[in-house]
Every structure is written in structure tokens, then in C-alpha cells.
Amino acid sequence: MRVLLMTLCMGQLLLAHAQNFNRRYDPYGQGYAQVAWSIDPNGADGYAVTAFTYYDDSIYLYTTAALIRLDMAGTVLSESKMLYGMSSVYGGWSNSAQLVGDGGIAIGGNTLSPSNIRRPAIIRYAANGDSLWLREYDTGIGRQVKQTKDGGYILSGEYVVGTHTDAFLIKTDSLGNEVWTRSYGGSFSDYAMSVDTTADDGYFVGGQYKVSQNNRNLWVLRVDAEGDTLWSKQWGGPLDEPYANLTTLANGNPFVVGAMDFINAYAGRMYQAELDQEDGHLVWERRYGPLTVTYLFAAKEVSPGQGTIAAGSYFEPDTGSFYKGVLLRTAAGGDSLWMRTYVYFDSLITDGVGEFRDVIPTNDGGFIACGVTIASHSGPAPQVYEQDAWVVKVDSLGCIVPGCDDFSTLITVQATNLKEALVVYPNPARESTTVKVTLPSASPFTDALHLRLVSSTGQEVLVQKAIVGENGLRLKDVAAGLYYLHLTSGTTWLSGTKLIIE
């Protein structure tokens, strides 16, 4: 059986021809809050998602960094938890985990003791989902971990020093035993939220540097194998920038995503930049989309020299909107190929607030993202929906059902989890068929509905208005073959299905 691993924390590989899907997860069925922090491949056969979740053993209520094993359709096969004495265990940040050499997963995070002491930690799971070990270090918060070239680990994070906070790196051996610790920063509070290995034995670190009492900048530094600083770069505008979330490209340069151009404490633009590995100067930088409350939390290179996929959150203020997951696909050099937002939507929730915290390319040319969906923007929802881990699989163009790109604008909202909204019969069809449209009674998308028929080669061949209920679809002038039928409302994609015409 092909298997996916998903590790839950406050947080990527599909096989060729794997199906697209979207799912929300409530580990152990307890109704507590979860966030999926990161998603990674599980060998050649699936995914590993790391997440923050709660676990109630009837005596104590713990938080834990859990591992969920999924099949290729996103169905849960097993759930594993890391219990550590009477302490709670947390994942640290977006993209906090990594698939390691033995096929298991390492998570960067922290523990919280009953006496309220927080310690950085590395959490290890085996490839089959069994918990292996947890190592904790002094005090502070661990954020992200990577396996090093010698088989050990490098953990980034921050800890309090007097009246301010310094960033740190902790280098360990293969069993998590501390080898060295280094701290970085100025006289204000600074944070190391991301870390990655360099082409040699050193490390890139990304985070936030406070340059004055009233301004925080993006921050990237390069250190050598012993943690000594080779260069440090801080940049940004007159207002606070969020964290620099980085990865290392195949050419050896650090690649940064975040946000820039803030006009107030909230509204800015999505931002990406490539830095030179030798001295940290900007090779290029790009802004994307309008001024919004928008952040990119993680990015991955699709393949060497073929650009990146980034994930985050998207919110347009003063429009009656709410936070959505966003994916941004760019070419090498930063040119935008497509950008799409996603909303959790089903028979009980029509406006599920959410965001993505990590994304990876998949072997079928698509992408899979994870994050969190939080209840309903418009009002109360069933308690089980209060806050859940969220995973969405799309194709190479960001579509849950192929063909959504053929009638998109720059940003297309996709309302996920409405597969049953569109039923076609008969299918296969000849000269005509019936399309039944079913939407939740509270749906805001019952007006301006259209059915759009797209060929397997990407050509839109038929468009007609639709209503909730039964719709006749004339196919007399459409050639035989495989098609994708889509239901849209304005620029919002609602549902889609395959249609075979004989």
C-alpha cells in the first residue's frame, strides 16, 4: 500500500498520477485545535506532515508534535504522538520538519514543562511513524531543523538574554547530542525562524532583525561549519517586515520569501528574493499582487533552475474578505506564473478561514500544501470544525480539478471540498447530459453560476449559465473525448468533475 506521512504542528511528495484532494484533520477525534506546520515526502511513496495538536489521556491534556500517516487519497492510516513525561511538545514554525536519511522525520520545536520552562527540542520519528527520540536543550524556542551533511542536525530558534531575545543555532550529532551552540543578534530582540545547509558545510539562517525600537527588518546570515558568521544582511522598509523564510536553491544561493512594502502595521505585498551566497547581496527581488494582509511562510524549488512554489496566507482588507490559503508559482528569476487562493468550503462551512504553512512539489508535477483552517468567517460552526489541520493537493497549475486555469484571472479563489456539488448523468454522454448543481443553503455563490467545459488539452469549448438544481447541457457539437466540467461563480471556482463524451 502506498503511504503518506503527515506530522501535525502549530505545519510533500505525491507519486506520479496521484489524485488531487483536500482534507481537514482532527487527530484522535477530540475536537481540539491543530495546525499543520510542514509537509515532506515519506520516501518514494507519500507524505509526512508535522503538526501541533492536543492529546487527552483522561488524566492530562498534552500538546504534542504528532505524525499522521495517510494514504494517497489523504485517508488517515495511523496517528502517532510524541509524549515526553508531563511536558507538552510543540513544532516550532512553518516548514519545521525534514525527511532525513533513514526515511524518518526530524521536527524542530520545543517542550514546555509543568513549571512553565520552555526548551528547544528536536523530535524524531521513524519512517513507519513510530516515535524514536526527543532531545531538549537549555532554554528557549526551537523553530526549524535540517539534517547536516555529517548526519547530525542544525536547529534554529531564539532565547531570552537579559531584557531582549537573541537568535541561536544548535549543532548536534546524529542522536541529537549537542555539539555546539552559537547566538546571533544585536541589542534588540532578533529571531532565527529558518535554517538550511549551504553548498559547503555551513548554514544559511533566516529571520527578523530589530534595527531600532520601531523597525524590524528581514534578516539573513551565512555561518561556517562551526557557526561563525561569514556575512549578515538586514533589509526592509520603515515599518516592520515579517520573518525571512528561506531555502537553498540548487545553484547554492539562499532564496527568501516573506512580505514587503508595508503601508501600516498589517498591509503589505508578497515578497521573494534571491541572495548571492558569497556576500549576501540581492541577485533579484520581486513583489506580487496588490497591497493586502499577505505573508509567504515557506517555499521550495520545483526543480533545479525551474523556479519555485511558495505558500502562505492572503487577505484583502475592507472587502468583506477573510484569510485564505495562497500558492504562488514563479519562474527562475521571480516572474509570476500563477497565484491562486483557496477557501475551505463544504456542506457545513461556506467560508472557512485558513492559511498554508508549507508546500512541496509532487512527482506528478503538482503541489501539496498544508496549514490550518479555522471555523467560519461568517459565524459559528460545529465544534469539531473549530481549528483543524488542512491539506490541499493541486496540479501543476494550482487546480484541484484540471482546467481551472483556462478561465482564471491573476488570482482565482478555489472553494475546496465541494466535489459533490456537481453531479453529471449520464456520464459518459452523447448529445446531451444533465448536470445537477447542489450548494449549501448558506452559500454566497448561488448567483452568477456558470458551467464551463474544458478539453483534456486545455481548451474551453462550452460555457453556459447554471442554476442550483438540474441543468441541461447540450453536447451535440462537441467532439468525442475526455473533458473537465467546472462550476464557477465569477472568479471563484467551486467544483469540477470529468465528463466523457462518446
Side-chain angles (χ1 to χ4, degrees), residues 339-457:
M339 181 164 60
R340 308 196 193 284
T341 58
Y342 304 80
V343 176
Y344 186 84
F345 193 124
D346 63 18
S347 61
L348 299 178
I349 292 180
T350 63
D351 52 359
V353 179
E355 65 184 22
F356 294 144
R357 285 290 185 157
D358 199 10
V359 63
I360 56 168
T362 57
N363 278 352
D364 63 355
F367 308 98
I368 187 167
C370 70
V372 59
T373 180
I374 305 171
S376 173
H377 170 68
S378 59
Q383 184 177 3
V384 69
Y385 277 13
E386 284 185 351
Q387 179 174 317
D388 291 333
W390 186 27
V391 179
V392 176
K393 168 69 176 71
V394 299
D395 67 14
S396 63
L397 295 170
C399 301
I400 295 173
V401 172
C404 77
D405 59 298
D406 290 288
F407 40 83
S408 71
T409 56
L410 177 63
I411 301 175
T412 296
V413 179
Q414 296 197 45
T416 64
N417 210 37
L418 280 176
K419 184 177 180 181
E420 303 305 320
L422 204 59
V423 177
V424 182
Y425 50 91
N427 188 6
R430 293 182 182 273
E431 294 187 351
S432 66
T433 192
T434 298
V435 182
K436 184 176 181 180
V437 175
T438 306
L439 292 174
S441 59
S443 171
F445 301 118
T446 55
D447 296 328
L449 294 173
H450 284 83
L451 295 171
R452 301 176 183 271
L453 191 65
V454 178
S455 70
S456 58
T457 60

Side-chain angles (χ1 to χ4, degrees), residues 3-66:
V3 173
L4 304 170
L5 283 182
M6 174 168 132
T7 47
L8 285 151
C9 308
M10 186 167 185
Q12 320 171 357
L13 179 73
L14 275 178
L15 296 180
H17 311 302
Q19 61 182 302
N20 299 335
F21 66 88
N22 84 93
R23 295 286 300 271
R24 63 189 301 152
Y25 299 89
D26 188 1
Y28 311 108
Q30 296 171 319
Y32 297 117
Q34 297 84 30
V35 183
W37 278 120
S38 58
I39 186 162
D40 291 278
N42 179 47
D45 291 336
Y47 318 100
V49 181
T50 57
F52 159 85
T53 187
Y54 289 89
Y55 175 71
D56 191 345
D57 68 358
S58 77
I59 299 176
Y60 299 104
L61 178 63
Y62 300 93
T63 57
T64 180

